[in-house]
Structure formats: C-alpha cells, structure tokens
Amino acid sequence: MPNKSKSFFRFGLRIKLLLLSSFLFSLPWFGYQYVWEMEKYLRYGQEQTIVGTARALATALHERPNLFNNQASFLPNVEKGKDLYSYKLTTAIQLDGLPSDWPLFNSRAHYYGEKNQLAKVSTPLIESDLELKSETNSASDLSPNGSSLHFNATVGQYDKYLYMMFTVVDNKLIYRNKNARGIFKNDHLEIGLSDPQNNFNRFIISNKKSGWLDAYKVETQVVETAGVEIKSFDYSAQNPTIKEIITVAPKIQGHWLEIPQGYNVELRIPMEIVGDNIAFAFHDVDTEFTDALSIVGSADPSTAQTLGTVLVPSPEIERIVKGMSYTNSSVWVVDQHQRVLAKAGNLKQASGVWNKRTASNYSGSNDSNDSMITSLWNSIEENWLLPFYYKFLTKPPKDFIDELYDAQHLTGKHIKSALEGNAHSQWRLTTDQQAVVLSAAYPIYINNQVHGAVIVEETTNGIRTLRNQALEKLFTSIIAIMLLGATCFFLFASRISNRIRTLRNQAESSIDENGRINNQLVASTANDEIGDLSRSFSTAVNRLSQYNHYLEGMSSRLSHELRTPIAVVRTSIENLTMQQLPESTTPYLERAQTGINTLNLILTNMSEATNLEQMLATTERVPFNLQQVLVGCVQGYKQIYTDVEFSLNGLVSEDSHLNGKQSPNIQGSPEHIAQLLDKVFANAVEFSNDQKVSISLQETQSTFLIHISNNGKHLPELMKDRLFDSMVSMRDTKRQAQPHLGLGLYIARLIVEFHQGSISANDHHNPAGVTLSITLNKTGV
C-alpha cells in the first residue's frame, strides 16, 4: 500500500504550478501603474496645450486698445454697485415687470439701500411736459429719517438692447396725479447715461399707474441771470436758474408693476444710445406734490461727471473668442479688474480631448456569426466585466457644479498672477469636488501695460475617460492572458501529474504487499525526465523480479539439497544405534537424532508455503458446504484439544450434517479451507489464556464471515500490519518447544486470497483478547 499523508490537503504539481502562475496577477498592477504614468504625461500635455491656447488668444488681443476703449477697462479701480456689469443674456427678456425670466436674478442682483443714498436732492421747476419754464432749483441736505426705500437691480444685454430690472421695496407708492404736468413730485426713476459719442442724456420714468412705462428725456439749458451765464447744471450750485425741456422718450420701453411690498420696474434701452457711463436713482415721495424724501441709487444721475460705468461684453472680443470655442475649451477674457469681457465654450463640454466622429452608417462584416460573437462579447463586457472594473475605477461625472466663477467677475490665483504679468496654470476641484479642472491664464498687453487676461479651462474628464478605456482593454487582455496562462499551466501540470500518477500506479501494482513482483513495469518512450524515471523504474523492477524469483526458488532448492545429507546423517545415526556402543555415547546419539528431526521439520515448513502456492495455482474449485467443513473441523479440534472449550455461534449443531443441510454454498477447495482452519485454530488455542475459543459464522448475499476469538494478550501495535506476512512470529523464542518460522498465518492468508477473501486480526475488550475475521467469497472467483 502507498504511504498516505496524514494531511487531507497536499501541494501537488498542479497546485504548485498554479501558485507559480500567480505571478501573472502582478501584470494588472504593472499595467495600472503604466496607465497612471501615461495619464500624468497626458495631463502635462493638456496643461501645455491650454497654456498655448491662452497664449495664442492673448497674442490676438495684444496692442489692440480699440477693443477695450468702450469697456471701461482703463479705470484705476472699480466700485461695486456704482460700476455696473451687464450680464450676457441668452434670450430676450419679456417686459412684464417680473424677474422670473432673468437668469439667476437673486444671485446677480445688487442691493441698494441706506448706504447708497445720495446726499443732495434736485427740485426741478417744470410745470408742463411740453413747454419751457424757468424755475429756481433749491438743493438741500437730505435727511433720510423715515425713509424705507431700498431695491435690488441687475443689468443685462441681449442683441441690441440693454435690459434693466429693479425690485423696489417702498412702504408708500405715490403715482403722478392724472392732471399733473410735473414728473418729479411723485415716486420716479431717474437714469443718466452717456451715448457712444460721449454725449450726456438724462431720462425720467414717472408713471401715473401700473403698466407700460412713461419715459421722458430731460434736456437742460443754462439761463443768463443778472448778466451772469451759468455754463453747466450743477446740483451743488446755490439757486441756479435753468431751462429744462421734457420730451417723451419712446425708445425706452418697459413695465411698471405694482406689488404688495412696493413695485418692480423692468425696461430696455437701445444700445445705440448707451455708452460706457450710466447711473440710476429712485426718488421716494411719501406725500403727493412734495419733494423726494430720499434718493437711493448707483450714483448721481444728474451730471455726466458723477455717472458710474457699465461694462457690456464686447462683441468684437466675443467674435475673436468664439473661434476658440471649437478647441473643446472654456475661454474667458477679463479686464484688469477681473470683469468678464467675453466668454466662449462650456466647461462641462470642455473635456480636453477631441472626440473623433465616425460615420453612423458604417458597418463592418456582415457575417452573422461575427455579429453573434460581437453581441455575446458586448453582453459579457457590459454585464460582467465593466461592473467589476468600476468597483476599482471611477467614471468622470457627466454633470458637476462649479460656482468658483460668476458671469461678471472671475477670481483665482492664476488670474491674479496673469494680471500681474505672469502666465500661470493651476489644477483645482469643482465646487462639488466631482471633477478636476485645469486652468491657464495669460496676460494681455497694451502699450506694455497689462489690461486684461485670457483664461482657458478644461476638465480632465476626457483624459479620465481615455484612461478608463485603456484600463478596460488592459484588464480584459490581462484577464484573457491570465485565464489562458492558468489553463495552460493547469493542463501542463495535469499532464505531468497523470504521467507521474500512472508511473506510481504501475510501480505499486507491480509489487504486492509481500514484496512479490506481480508484473513487469512498462517503460515509457517519452524523451524527458519522467520518461527516464519510468525506464529506471522498469529496470529496477526487472532486477527485483529476477532476485525475487531466485529467493522464491531458494527454499525449495535448499530443501532438496539438504535432504540428501540429512538422510545420510540420519542413516548413519540409525546404524550407530544398532552397534554396540558405550553407554556414554547414548546421550550424544539421542541429541544428534533430535537435531536431525528438527532440521527435517524446518525443511518441511520451509517448503510448505512454496508447495502450497504451486498447489493453489493448479487447484480446481469445486462447490462445497462451508458450514459442514467448519463443523467437521471443530469436532476434530475437540478431540485434539481436549482441554479447550469451543463455543459455536451462528452454526447449526454438530449433527447438522444429518438433517439435510448439505446443499453446496461456496466454490473453492474444502481441503485448503480445512488447512486454513487448522492454522488459525492452532494460533487461537496457543495464545488463549482461559482455554476458551469461540467461533461464529455469518452469511451475506455474496460472502461468508467467520470470526474466531480467544481471550488473551492484545496484538503488539507494531505487529498488527505484519501479522500475516511471511516469517513473522509473536512467540517467545526462548520458550519455544519446537522451531516456528512464522509461516502459519501467512499460509492462512494465501488460502483466503485464493478464495477471493480477506483475513484480519483485531483486539477486543471485556475481556481482552484477539478476534481473527475471515471473509470468503461464495463464488470463489
């Protein structure tokens, strides 16, 4: 029997080769690191590209002051609220007095309150809208006590119009009286602006009711008084005398909407009369036909010198920037105050990677088998591979939120650096930290002075998508390589294992438990190490077979060769006993006779096993009744071993052979079964402590099971597996009356194996002893 490991799990060749192939798992890691390194280079290339884009656009804007002259970009500083920014509108505004169609009105509107009150109040002396009249204006300090006026305002530009939206909170709304000629003794809006030719214009919005705006243009003329000519109208002048002509201004259109907390004013002004300067102010009147209680506005709208500025995105710059929108980038142009002059592109679409478009009607092979294979592979990829990959990878977000910039004012370290004259780039996260944005800023020079900057931005979504696609293909290829490699390793290991297992089985089957060579080992013809090992084993088994054959025949040859000299010695001793010899020689003759008898017994025992094997090889199997043989043997043993008590279990009585129980039930040799029982019972009687031996017979459908038990010492632990081998004895050699070669149970095993059975010995307890179990096949084949 082969030696079996005590462990249930062992590292075979297949396991070892599979473990060896585990180095393939390092390939995904190296591939992943390689793709990451490639992504770093792609990001560096993207950074250089957008810096180059910003530099190219800035180059197109260098030394072109005409693009910036009308953008209020040369101011030394900008005052928020006074210097306005006109947001770029994507659609026309409906003039209904509601801010609902203004994009992001709440975030873009500027609040005007107590801090924006104007210090002086103008009280014009106009009685008729269409006639000239001289009056004296009185300017006095305004006391804001009791005033509740405040409002939000925003400015936007669409097409050829400048739109303005005001939401005014006023605790008491005073309209113009239906019969009033004046337009100042009520709540009204005053607007002052300069046209593109730098001419100053002043407008009054003064309504009699909620609805379409009543807009008027105010033209001021100087009147000579006491020979003194006043060359300009000035709020700060004391009691000047002026002329003002009030005319309807139909170009200003809009809506005055009364609401519970005050009123809304929504209007539009043609860009043809709008220049770089503008101011507006609301006059709050709480009592009819009285002067304004308070004036709140962006700046004093009554004179050109006090107007604020308005920045309208430049159409000329936008046309230049629009050409850069095809670069998959988001482009901004800002002035030196970081106000947006032009914008093109959308950051959410600025992935930084150009997507190659292929014809939608292109089709590859029309082979239906290719189509089925492609469809199956796509299904596996979509349902299994990609979900697994994206447990480790992250998809670039299709939508994200970026609130770092607004449409009016851009901030950032890179922009500040560019406006200082140093090109700069930076990486940043979007507001929701879902996307990475690469920004580059490059200064715009006019007369060697920085007057603005170009900002170009892109996300890394395109690179991340390319990285994911590369990793998908890499992982798919690696999985295929790993599966193929592991399969090849497994098949290779299986092939080697099968060859080694076959060699092992041949080696085990060629030698039985007793060391006999049953058959020759077939040498392999393979020209490798396992083939060499197989041929070496075959040679070794052949040599063992020859030696084993020599040993098997040695006992018979030795017995034959020794019997002749033993017979001579015995004859000589017998002849000596017939002679008249001194009595002193008698003990010696008896001792010699005893030795000759012992040698003869030894030779008989040595040849018995060999003769038995030869006899069994030629013995014919006949049907016989096992129980009858067993009962007959037991009856004989009772006569031989008169002091031993035999107990029968599962057997019919001793006279059972007389009651018809004689039908054959086993194929074999009854003489050899009797010889088997002789050997077994002799051992049972010899090793019994209480001179009791029990016998039982059990019958199954195909076998007979015989148990022979005695009470005595247990089997030595080391002898249990060798008890039925040749030349093995448990007897104490010092107290043996006769020589024993340990062949009794070995002969018993040969007879059992002839009947296709088995024999074993096991300890039993209470009381202690040994039970020999014999299993015999009924058919005997």
Side-chain angles (χ1 to χ4, degrees):
M1 295 294 290
N3 293 329
K4 296 184 178 179
S5 174
K6 295 182 179 180
S7 175
F8 291 101
F9 179 80
R10 66 175 184 175
F11 285 92
L13 284 176
R14 281 178 289 189
I15 300 297
K16 290 178 180 178
L17 283 176
L18 284 176
L19 291 176
L20 182 63
S21 66
S22 63
F23 79 92
L24 293 174
F25 286 100
S26 63
L27 294 179
W29 185 83
F30 283 112
Y32 188 75
Q33 294 298 319
Y34 176 77
V35 172
W36 268 109
E37 289 298 321
M38 291 302 298
E39 183 179 1
K40 292 180 182 178
Y41 286 110
L42 287 175
R43 288 192 178 191
Y44 177 77
Q46 183 184 19
E47 183 175 7
Q48 297 303 310
T49 299
I50 69 166
V51 170
T53 302
R55 179 170 57 245
L57 181 56
T59 301
L61 300 176
H62 287 329
E63 303 302 335
R64 299 180 66 177
N66 57 309
L67 298 176
F68 297 85
N69 286 339
N70 297 328
Q71 305 306 320
S73 300
F74 294 94
L75 297 174
N77 51 59
V78 173
E79 182 180 345
K80 194 171 184 180
K82 178 180 180 181
D83 297 298
L84 308 176
Y85 180 83
S86 177
Y87 291 96
K88 186 73 174 180
L89 302 174
T90 57
T91 59
I93 299 297
Q94 183 179 356
L95 299 176
D96 54 4
L98 297 174
S100 57
D101 53 349
W102 284 79
L104 304 174
F105 174 79
N106 292 330
S107 60
R108 292 180 175 181
H110 185 76
Y111 173 78
Y112 295 87
E114 182 178 353
K115 294 182 179 179
N116 302 99
Q117 289 191 14
L118 304 182
K120 301 294 181 180
V121 179
S122 172
T123 308
L125 304 175
I126 307 299
E127 295 297 334
S128 174
D129 290 344
L130 302 177
E131 74 177 53
L132 296 174
K133 181 174 182 179
S134 295
E135 292 187 354
T136 302
N137 284 345
S138 61
S140 60
D141 292 337
L142 174 67
S143 174
N145 296 333
S147 173
S148 61
L149 178 70
H150 57 88
F151 63 92
N152 291 313
T154 187
V155 181
Q157 186 262 333
Y158 178 78
D159 197 18
K160 299 179 180 180
Y161 292 95
L162 184 72
Y163 290 84
M164 306 179 74
M165 178 68 199
F166 306 94
T167 58
V168 184
V169 176
D170 189 0
N171 61 347
K172 188 173 183 181
L173 174 57
I174 303 297
Y175 287 110
R176 283 172 53 207
N177 191 279
K178 293 182 180 181
N179 300 319
R181 294 181 177 180
I183 60 176
F184 297 100
K185 301 292 185 176
N186 51 268
D187 290 335
H188 62 274
L189 169 63
E190 181 179 3
I191 299 175
L193 53 82
S194 61
D195 60 17
Q197 290 74 36
N198 209 25
N199 298 318
F200 174 72
N201 295 299
R202 180 164 162 247
F203 300 92
I204 301 293
I205 310 299
S206 181
N207 269 33
K208 294 181 178 180
K209 61 179 181 180
S210 179
W212 199 252
L213 292 183
D214 294 332
Y216 303 95
K217 181 178 180 181
V218 180
E219 297 183 17
T220 303
Q221 293 183 354
V222 180
V223 179
E224 293 185 4
T225 302
V228 179
E229 180 181 358
I230 301 177
K231 296 183 179 180
S232 62
F233 177 77
D234 189 354
Y235 268 142
S236 63
Q238 296 296 324
N239 298 322
T241 301
I242 62 171
K243 288 183 180 180
E244 290 185 335
I245 300 176
I246 309 300
T247 58
V248 177
K251 291 185 178 182
I252 298 181
Q253 299 174 336
H255 196 93
W256 185 299
L257 177 65
E258 184 175 352
I259 57 177
Q261 64 269 26
Y263 55 92
N264 292 343
V265 177
E266 187 175 35
L267 58 88
R268 71 179 185 183
I269 306 173
M271 292 298 297
E272 63 186 27
I273 63 173
V274 178
D276 296 337
N277 302 101
I278 192 171
F280 51 80
F282 278 93
H283 296 249
D284 182 27
V285 176
D286 285 347
T287 303
E288 197 173 1
F289 303 114
T290 61
D291 293 334
L293 177 65
S294 65
I295 304 174
V296 179
S298 64
D300 188 350
S302 60
T303 64
Q305 292 79 12
T306 57
L307 298 180
T309 61
V310 59
L311 178 64
V312 179
S314 170
E316 293 81 4
I317 298 179
E318 284 192 346
R319 279 193 292 270
I320 297 174
V321 172
K322 186 178 180 180
M324 306 300 294
S325 63
Y326 301 102
T327 61
N328 277 358
S329 302
S330 178
V331 184
W332 309 72
V333 179
V334 299
D335 64 4
Q336 59 183 342
H337 304 297
Q338 299 176 242
R339 296 183 298 177
V340 177
L341 302 179
K343 177 183 180 299
N346 187 344
L347 184 60
K348 293 183 179 180
Q349 299 176 353
S351 63
V353 175
W354 176 67
N355 296 321
K356 182 179 180 181
R357 295 182 175 88
T358 57
S360 59
N361 59 353
Y362 171 78
S363 61
S365 174
N366 294 324
D367 194 332
S368 60
N369 293 330
D370 292 345
S371 177
M372 291 178 60
I373 294 174
T374 302
S375 177
L376 177 62
W377 172 250
N378 291 336
S379 176
I380 294 175
E381 190 174 34
E382 290 292 332
N383 297 327
W384 297 95
L385 296 180
L386 293 183
F388 174 72
Y389 295 159
Y390 283 97
K391 291 183 180 294
F392 310 98
L393 305 178
T394 56
K395 290 184 177 180
K398 295 181 179 179
D399 193 15
F400 52 85
I401 300 173
D402 187 35
E403 297 179 348
L404 180 64
Y405 303 152
D406 57 30
Q408 172 188 356
H409 191 262
L410 302 189
T411 59
K413 180 180 178 181
H414 56 304
I415 300 175
K416 182 178 179 181
S417 177
L419 292 176
E420 292 175 353
N422 301 314
H424 189 79
S425 63
Q426 69 174 19
W427 298 87
R428 65 177 179 86
L429 289 172
T430 56
T431 306
D432 59 359
Q433 297 187 348
Q434 296 297 312
V436 179
V437 179
L438 173 59
S439 304
Y442 203 89
I444 300 173
Y445 290 94
I446 297 177
N447 296 326
N448 294 325
Q449 298 292 326
V450 177
H451 280 274
V454 174
I455 297 94
V456 180
E457 290 192 330
E458 293 176 355
T459 66
T460 61
N461 289 353
I463 291 178
R464 291 174 64 184
T465 300
L466 291 177
R467 179 201 67 189
N468 289 350
Q469 292 175 352
L471 288 175
E472 290 170 15
K473 293 181 180 179
L474 177 66
F475 288 161
T476 301
S477 301
I478 288 176
I479 288 176
I481 292 173
M482 290 175 62
L483 290 177
L484 181 61
T487 302
C488 292
F489 273 124
F490 183 80
L491 294 177
F492 178 69
S494 299
R495 171 63 178 163
I496 294 178
S497 298
N498 289 335
R499 292 178 62 190
I500 295 176
R501 191 180 296 109
T502 301
L503 180 60
R504 180 204 65 186
N505 294 338
Q506 289 180 357
E508 289 180 355
S509 62
S510 63
I511 303 175
D512 63 10
E513 296 178 355
N514 301 311
R516 289 189 177 90
I517 306 299
N518 295 330
N519 47 59
Q520 297 298 320
L521 190 67
V522 179
S524 174
T525 58
N527 190 22
D528 57 8
E529 288 79 0
I530 298 178
D532 292 340
L533 181 62
S534 175
R535 289 186 286 273
S536 298
F537 275 12
S538 178
T539 302
V541 169
N542 290 335
R543 292 173 180 174
L544 286 174
S545 177
Q546 295 173 4
Y547 184 69
N548 192 32
H549 181 71
Y550 167 77
L551 292 178
E552 289 175 351
M554 186 178 68
S555 61
S556 61
R557 288 194 298 269
L558 183 62
S559 175
H560 176 73
E561 295 295 333
L562 289 178
R563 285 188 184 277
T564 300
I566 289 175
V568 172
V569 173
R570 176 179 292 176
T571 303
S572 299
I573 294 175
E574 289 177 354
N575 291 331
L576 284 175
T577 57
M578 295 179 188
Q579 301 296 325
Q580 188 68 30
L581 298 173
E583 290 185 5
S584 60
T585 62
T586 302
Y588 299 107
L589 291 175
E590 291 177 353
R591 195 177 304 167
Q593 186 65 41
T594 302
I596 291 298
N597 293 335
T598 302
L599 285 174
N600 189 55
L601 179 62
I602 292 173
L603 291 177
T604 302
N605 289 336
M606 287 177 60
S607 60
E608 183 180 11
T610 303
N611 295 334
L612 177 64
E613 292 184 63
Q614 296 174 353
M615 291 175 59
L616 289 176
T618 59
T619 299
E620 182 181 359
R621 291 181 174 86
V622 296
F624 67 94
N625 187 282
L626 177 64
Q627 183 171 267
Q628 181 182 358
V629 174
L630 183 59
V631 171
C633 289
V634 171
Q635 290 176 350
Y637 301 147
K638 285 183 178 181
Q639 296 176 4
I640 299 173
Y641 306 106
T642 56
D643 56 345
V644 177
E645 179 183 348
F646 294 93
S647 59
L648 305 178
N649 299 312
L651 297 173
V652 297
S653 65
E654 299 178 8
D655 298 329
S656 61
H657 59 284
L658 301 176
N659 60 13
K661 282 260 184 182
Q662 300 299 319
S663 58
N665 53 19
I666 189 171
Q667 290 276 347
S669 174
E671 294 81 5
H672 290 102
I673 291 296
Q675 185 180 4
L676 161 68
L677 295 175
D678 290 344
K679 300 295 183 183
V680 172
F681 273 93
N683 275 274
V685 171
E686 183 176 353
F687 288 97
S688 174
N689 290 339
D690 54 3
Q691 302 298 306
K692 292 182 179 180
V693 177
S694 62
I695 310 100
S696 66
L697 175 65
Q698 298 176 1
E699 183 179 2
T700 65
Q701 186 175 0
S702 59
T703 62
F704 282 102
L705 184 61
I706 303 172
H707 295 290
I708 302 172
S709 301
N710 67 348
N711 299 326
K713 293 182 179 180
H714 284 164
L715 298 173
E717 191 68 27
L718 298 177
M719 298 293 292
K720 287 183 178 180
D721 295 334
R722 302 178 54 237
L723 189 62
F724 298 94
D725 292 345
S726 176
M727 302 294 182
V728 175
S729 178
M730 294 174 53
R731 296 172 178 83
D732 189 355
T733 56
K734 295 181 179 180
R735 289 185 287 178
Q736 286 185 178
Q738 295 182 357
H740 289 275
L741 301 180
L743 296 174
L745 293 182
Y746 171 67
I747 293 173
R749 193 195 74 184
L750 293 178
I751 297 173
V752 169
E753 291 178 349
F754 171 76
H755 289 84
Q756 299 297 313
S758 61
I759 185 171
S760 62
N762 296 287
D763 296 332
H764 64 250
H765 304 274
N766 297 323
V770 178
T771 299
L772 269 75
S773 300
I774 302 171
T775 302
L776 299 176
N777 196 318
K778 287 184 177 181
T779 61
V781 291

